[in-house]
């Protein structure tokens, strides 16, 4: 043996239940990363053979063929042929078949078997097949294919012991065995053979998969489907805002509590301030996102696991096609109304790379919850609270307008991007609708844990370093009088320069000074303005109110409106930037996002200001 | 008749496909799903509200969603059996 650990790979069509099988075989011993140079997720984990010997198991992206039509399929092909950098060629391939969709899945299976590499077949989801009235003869399938076949039910852990034993047996044999020579056939022949083999292996079969069809008859109904989707999304958003808010506030309080504790325990020094306002507040600003990410992903993963996600994509495809996207972009964009971070993370389910990139780039235009504190303060101060129509207040109308403004901006941006930087063969919308399934708690928990880990580990480190840099900019060099700290800091000097640039769009130096720390997160703009206008108040609410009065004396209405327009577009959220970097595998696209969104923000704020001034509101 | 003109609920066999009219990746994806010459398909769902796009077809034991532009490239002949008479 040349290598210590043997490598096995799971390979199969999408919706074959590969991920569930992977989870069942590896448990929580998983590693998630990107394949080098592409944004395809590499999932690997440790599987134990009956002897206790560990095997590295790689879950290859779902593919229909070795002749790739997507980056996912390219990765699958390259790994199987041992051409993927940083990934040794698998010693054993485990083909995963959906037992209730043999005719389709056997096409790719034959292509893999023809390679003559050590192969075993996991005939997965036999329970669902039986539910559909399908009984399959694994022995007949095995002799037709010429490779061992094992029936499995990944979610119930059935057949796993046989499968791992077979992997062990295959390893012992494959060491001295010559690669088997198998005849190569053309794709149409393969499809015909698949049909024949499937018919030969199916012992009995009832007419149709019933539960599946009956659910779809309602959920895909042209008039019933959309209201059901809408109702579901309403519940999701209710949950996100009613559950996440208290948790976020709790975490926020916990971190300021820790900060206070450190402040009271340590002697006053720059180091103490660095620890409390830089590091602890920085870690806090990362961690407060967790409840939102976990709650949103709980729903997203459930929708994916049950098979409903594909139905939602079907229902929304027409609307999304209008701006050059597909139905798959809908859920990520909708999630971005809560927070662009989970929204961008959810774009992984978009198969077409150009569609996915466009969705990532426009996600920050959806009005996320962090903009609300900014909007509320400004609207509260400058927009009179009177009724336009019975039940419809002017303030609410302006807020609604800002949401619409964001959506329109996103649509316009998508149209433009699709014709320029993300131009390319339209992916259209071709997708297999998976069968409905009950999700398992374990798979959901694992999925949630992975999102949390990816966010805290990959995005968190960057967010923390930016927070620390921002703190240093605001606190160095030290001023003699604490009152003048912000003005005499590096950030203060930057603000002087920035003020010149943003003066034409009606922004003063105070705003410039607030925009710098607000790079961390938009809502920081409120507290930064409060500091600038030296408003002493205990809690955020009271601060907001008195701040409003202060703003009214310092800003014109035109400036306030321009400030609102700025925040519709400005990408002032380093978590979004960090997640974009992670999801696009480099700095190119986050940099592009910063430039184009700041450009839009500048133009939008400028147009608003100039128009307002022209109407005599300056 | 092309696949997009098929009445809702009707079953048909694809007799010819104009692969050149489709983006190569899309053509490949359709073939990979078995949507190609000789396949028997049933038009199961079409559009949302008054739109006629996208459509979902049943093929083998799968339901596959696609757009009308793809369906328009498929020449079909209707088949008498299998289709429940629920044309919209």
């Amino acid at each position: 043996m040349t290598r210590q650990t043997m490598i096995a790979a799971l390979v199969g069509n999408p919706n074959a239940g590969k991920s569930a099988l992977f989870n069942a075989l590896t448990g929580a011993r998983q590693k998630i990363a990107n394949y080098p140079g592409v944004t395809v997720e590499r999932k690997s984990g440790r599987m134990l053979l009956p002897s206790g010997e560990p095997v590295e198991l790689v879950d290859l992206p779902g593919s229909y063929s070795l002749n790739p039509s997507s980056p996912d399929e390219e990765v699958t092909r390259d790994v199987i042929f041992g051409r993927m950098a940083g990934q040794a060629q698998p010693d054993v391939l485990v083909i995963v078949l959906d037992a209730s969709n043999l005719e389709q899945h056997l096409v790719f299976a034959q292509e893999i078997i023809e390679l003559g590499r050590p192969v075993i077949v996991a005939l997965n989801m036999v329970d669902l097949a039986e539910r559909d009235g399908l009984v399959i003869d694994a022995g007949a399938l095995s002799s037709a294919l010429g490779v061992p076949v094992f029936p499995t039910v990944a979610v119930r852990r059935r057949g796993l012991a046989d499968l791992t034993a077979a992997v062990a047996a295959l390893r012992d044999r494959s060491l001295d065995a010559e690669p088997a020579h198998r005849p190569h056939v053309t794709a149409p022949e393969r499809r015909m053979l698949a049909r024949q083999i499937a018919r030969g292996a199916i012992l009995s079969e009832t007419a149709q998969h019933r539960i599946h069809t009956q659910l779809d008859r309602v959920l895909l109904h042209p008039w019933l489907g959309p209201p059901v989707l809408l109702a579901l999304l309403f519940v999701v958003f209710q949950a996100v805002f009613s559950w996440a808010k208290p948790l976020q506030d709790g975490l926020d309080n916990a971190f300021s509590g820790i900060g206070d504790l450190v402040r009271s325990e340590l002697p006053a020094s720059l180091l103490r301030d660095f620890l409390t306002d830089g590091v602890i507040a920085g870690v806090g600003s990362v961690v407060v996102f967790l409840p939102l990410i976990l709650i949103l992903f709980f729903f997203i993963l459930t929708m994916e696991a049950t098979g409903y996600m594909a139905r939602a994509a079907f229902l929304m495809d027409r609307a999304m096609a209008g701006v050059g996207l597909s139905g798959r972009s809908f859920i990520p964009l909708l999630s971005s109304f809560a927070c662009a971070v989970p929204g961008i993370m959810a774009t992984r389910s978009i198969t077409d790379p150009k569609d996915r990139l466009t969705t990532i780039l426009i996600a920050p235009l959806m009005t996320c919850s962090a903009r609300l504190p900014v909007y509320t303060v400004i609207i509260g101060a400058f927009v009179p609270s009177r009724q336009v129509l019975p039940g419809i207040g002017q303030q609410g109308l302006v807020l609604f307008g800002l949401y619409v403004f964001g959506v329109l901006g996103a649509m316009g941006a998508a149209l433009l991007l699709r014709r320029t930087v993300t131009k390319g063969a339209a992916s259209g919308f071709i997708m297999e609708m998976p069968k409905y399934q009950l999700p398992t708690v374990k798979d959901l928990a694992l999925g949630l844990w992975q999102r949390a880990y990816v966010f805290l580990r990959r995005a968190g480190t960057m967010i923390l370093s930016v927070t620390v840099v921002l703190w240093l900019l605001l606190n160095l060099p030290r001023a003699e009088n604490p009152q003048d700290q912000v003005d005499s800091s590096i950030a203060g000097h930057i603000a002087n320069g920035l003020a010149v640039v943003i003066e034409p769009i009606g922004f003063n130096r105070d705003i410039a000074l607030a925009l710098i720390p607000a790079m961390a997160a938009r809502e920081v703009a409120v507290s930064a303005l409060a500091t600038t206008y030296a408003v002493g108040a205990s809690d955020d609410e009271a601060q907001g109110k008195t701040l409003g009065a202060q703003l009214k004396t310092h800003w014109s209405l035109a400036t306030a409106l321009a400030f609102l327009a700025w925040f519709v577009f400005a990408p002032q959220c380093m978590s979004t930037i960090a997640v974009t970097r992670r999801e696009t595998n480099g700095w190119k696209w986050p940099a592009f996002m910063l430039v184009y969104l700041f450009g839009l923000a500048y133009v939008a704020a400028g147009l608003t200001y100039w128009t307002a001034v022209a109407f005599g509101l300056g | 008749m092309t696949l997009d003109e098929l009445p809702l609920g009707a079953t048909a066999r694809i007799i010819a496909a104009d692969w050149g009219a489709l983006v190569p990746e899309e053509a490949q994806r359709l073939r990979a799903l078995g949507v190609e010459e000789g396949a028997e398909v049933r038009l199961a769902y079409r559009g949302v509200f008054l739109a006629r796009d996208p459509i979902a077809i049943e093929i083998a034991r799968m339901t596959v969603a696609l757009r009308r532009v793809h369906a328009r490239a498929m020449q079909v002949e209707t088949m008498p059996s299998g289709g429940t008479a629920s044309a919209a």
Side-chain angles (χ1 to χ4, degrees):
Chain A
M1 253 207 298
T2 51
R3 210 172 26 229
Q4 282 285 293
T5 332
M6 166 188 174
I7 300 174
L10 295 179
V11 49
N13 278 22
N15 305 320
K18 269 182 330 89
S19 297
L21 189 60
F22 178 74
N23 286 347
L25 288 170
T26 60
R29 300 174 293 256
Q30 299 186 2
K31 268 203 318 226
I32 302 172
N34 277 331
Y35 283 100
V38 287
T39 53
V40 178
E41 203 158 73
R42 178 185 187 276
K43 281 174 81 180
S44 70
R46 251 157 45 101
M47 168 176 88
L48 296 180
L49 294 183
S51 61
E53 184 194 335
V55 169
E56 189 189 348
L57 187 68
V58 182
D59 184 14
L60 292 177
S63 305
Y64 292 106
S65 157
L66 287 174
N67 182 12
S69 68
S70 72
D72 279 13
E73 292 185 339
E74 267 171 52
V75 164
T76 299
R77 180 201 58 189
D78 290 348
V79 172
I80 289 176
F81 286 121
R83 293 202 298 245
M84 174 56 75
Q87 170 69 63
Q89 189 174 25
D91 304 286
V92 173
L93 298 173
V94 180
I95 300 175
V96 188
L97 299 181
D98 173 3
S100 52
N101 200 2
L102 273 187
E103 188 180 322
Q104 163 68 18
H105 285 213
L106 281 174
V107 179
F108 185 40
Q110 290 180 80
E111 203 179 348
I112 300 290
I113 293 169
E114 278 168 28
L115 300 175
R117 299 192 49 76
V119 159
I120 45 176
V121 169
L123 185 62
N124 200 24
M125 306 200 276
V126 280
D127 58 333
L128 287 186
E130 278 158 23
R131 189 188 73 183
D132 287 352
L134 263 179
V135 183
I136 293 157
D137 182 351
L141 192 59
S142 173
S143 48
L145 292 172
V147 295
V149 175
F150 298 92
T152 55
V153 182
V155 291
R156 310 262 170 275
R157 307 191 57 82
R158 260 166 59 191
L160 301 187
D162 292 344
L163 199 68
T164 48
V167 171
L170 204 57
R171 196 273 317 271
D172 296 339
R173 229 178 315 145
S174 69
L175 285 176
D176 40 48
E178 283 282 297
H181 287 287
R182 292 174 192 274
H184 285 262
V185 292
T186 62
E189 285 171 340
R190 225 175 262 141
R191 187 160 288 283
M192 265 187 22
L193 271 169
R195 206 165 296 161
Q196 276 174 24
I197 298 172
R199 292 216 176 117
I202 293 172
L203 291 176
S204 70
E205 171 177 27
T206 53
Q208 262 299 333
H209 21 268
R210 298 195 52 86
I211 303 172
H212 180 66
T213 336
Q214 275 168 3
L215 270 172
D216 270 346
R217 217 165 271 165
V218 177
L219 298 178
L220 289 183
H221 189 279
W223 295 95
L224 290 178
V228 172
L229 174 63
L230 195 72
L232 208 87
L233 295 174
F234 182 76
V235 171
V236 171
F237 268 71
Q238 278 298 313
V240 166
F241 285 105
S242 59
W243 300 347
K245 192 80 181 81
L247 287 171
Q248 283 183 300
D249 291 347
L251 284 172
D252 227 7
N253 289 336
F255 275 95
S256 46
I258 297 171
D260 289 344
L261 189 73
V262 173
R263 202 170 289 124
S264 64
E265 290 300 315
L266 292 181
S269 66
L270 188 61
L271 179 71
R272 186 194 71 175
D273 292 348
F274 174 74
L275 275 179
T276 53
D277 302 335
V279 179
I280 295 174
V283 173
S285 74
V286 177
V287 174
V288 288
F289 277 98
L290 259 194
L292 239 138
I293 290 177
L294 291 179
I295 294 172
L296 257 176
F297 265 101
F298 168 76
F299 289 106
I300 291 175
L301 291 173
T302 307
M303 280 200 264
E304 263 171 8
T306 50
Y308 185 71
M309 188 67 104
R311 274 75 185 180
F314 180 87
L315 294 173
M316 293 312 297
D317 183 61
R318 190 65 244 282
M320 305 302 295
V323 293
L325 293 171
S326 87
R328 295 191 202 236
S329 297
F330 176 69
I331 296 289
L333 288 178
L334 190 81
S335 308
S336 303
F337 276 108
C339 178
V341 172
I344 289 171
M345 288 166 79
T347 60
R348 292 214 162 230
S349 61
I350 305 172
T351 36
D352 180 78
K354 296 282 174 57
D355 265 12
R356 177 159 183 252
L357 184 57
T358 314
T359 310
I360 290 175
L361 290 175
I362 65 168
L365 287 171
M366 301 291 137
T367 302
C368 68
S369 51
R371 282 171 172 97
L372 278 176
V374 181
Y375 288 171
T376 322
V377 167
I378 308 293
I379 290 175
F382 289 91
V383 180
S385 83
R386 60 182 178 86
Q387 303 256 311
V388 180
L389 286 167
I392 299 174
Q394 197 170 346
Q395 292 185 334
L397 210 60
V398 172
L399 185 63
F400 180 71
L402 291 170
Y403 272 83
V404 173
F405 208 11
V407 172
L408 290 179
M411 286 167 64
L415 276 172
L416 263 172
L417 291 170
R418 265 332 232 135
R419 276 163 182 70
T420 52
V421 284
T422 58
K423 190 162 72 183
S427 73
F429 178 64
I430 299 168
M431 86 192 282
E432 184 190 340
M433 305 265 186
K435 269 179 273 300
Y436 289 106
Q437 265 185 87
L438 279 177
T440 63
V441 176
K442 194 187 162 193
D443 286 348
L444 275 182
L446 213 56
L448 282 179
W449 183 79
Q450 283 163 358
R451 306 292 150 171
Y453 176 81
V454 161
F455 175 71
L456 287 180
R457 176 76 196 280
R458 318 258 170 219
T461 43
M462 185 195 148
I463 296 167
L464 181 61
S465 28
V466 174
T467 316
V468 169
V469 169
L470 275 176
W471 184 86
L472 291 173
L473 288 182
L474 284 161
N475 286 279
L476 293 178
R478 299 304 285 173
E480 305 214 332
N481 185 350
Q483 295 292 100
D484 307 329
Q485 178 53 46
V486 178
D487 275 325
S488 52
S489 68
I490 304 172
H493 293 292
I494 297 174
N496 291 338
L498 195 60
V500 181
V501 181
I502 59 176
E503 211 204 317
I505 60 169
F507 287 7
N508 54 33
R509 186 176 171 278
D510 302 334
I511 296 180
L513 207 49
L515 289 183
I516 295 171
M519 269 317 291
R522 295 176 179 92
E523 66 268 30
V524 175
V526 175
S527 54
L529 283 171
T531 317
T532 306
Y533 293 118
V535 182
S538 50
D539 61 306
D540 285 353
E541 191 90 353
Q543 208 174 46
K545 274 176 194 142
T546 40
L547 174 62
Q550 286 286 333
L551 290 178
K552 261 188 120 157
T553 60
H554 288 92
W555 293 9
S556 68
L557 179 57
T559 296
L561 292 176
F563 191 72
L564 287 175
W566 171 271
F567 271 96
V568 170
F569 296 99
Q572 299 207 270
C573 172
M574 62 182 169
S575 305
T576 303
I577 304 298
V579 163
T580 304
R581 198 210 79 83
R582 143 102 188 142
E583 294 297 321
T584 59
N585 236 350
W587 276 111
K588 181 182 170 192
W589 291 110
F592 175 82
M593 183 191 268
L594 277 172
V595 170
Y596 112 91
L597 285 177
F598 271 128
L600 271 181
Y602 192 86
V603 172
L607 287 177
T608 310
Y609 181 71
W610 303 321
T611 313
V613 169
F615 279 94
L617 303 171
Chain B
M1 181 161 62
T2 54
L3 178 55
D4 66 308
E5 295 163 343
L6 199 65
L8 197 64
T11 304
R13 176 181 288 119
I14 299 175
I15 48 173
D18 181 8
W19 297 115
L22 301 173
V23 182
E25 288 86 0
E26 296 182 341
Q28 211 174 320
R29 171 72 18 113
L30 286 170
R31 296 186 106 128
L33 286 162
V35 185
E36 59 185 348
E37 294 90 341
E40 283 171 29
V41 300
R42 178 176 170 272
L43 187 65
Y45 305 96
R46 179 166 52 206
V48 177
F49 298 134
L50 293 174
R52 291 168 64 84
D53 211 5
I55 62 169
I57 55 171
E58 285 170 5
I59 174 167
R61 284 185 160 259
M62 287 181 292
T63 307
V64 173
L66 52 139
R67 286 192 181 153
R68 283 186 72 191
V69 281
H70 310 128
R72 212 170 290 141
M74 308 281 156
Q75 286 288 332
V76 295
E77 57 178 17
T78 47
M79 294 170 62
S81 63
T84 44
S86 61

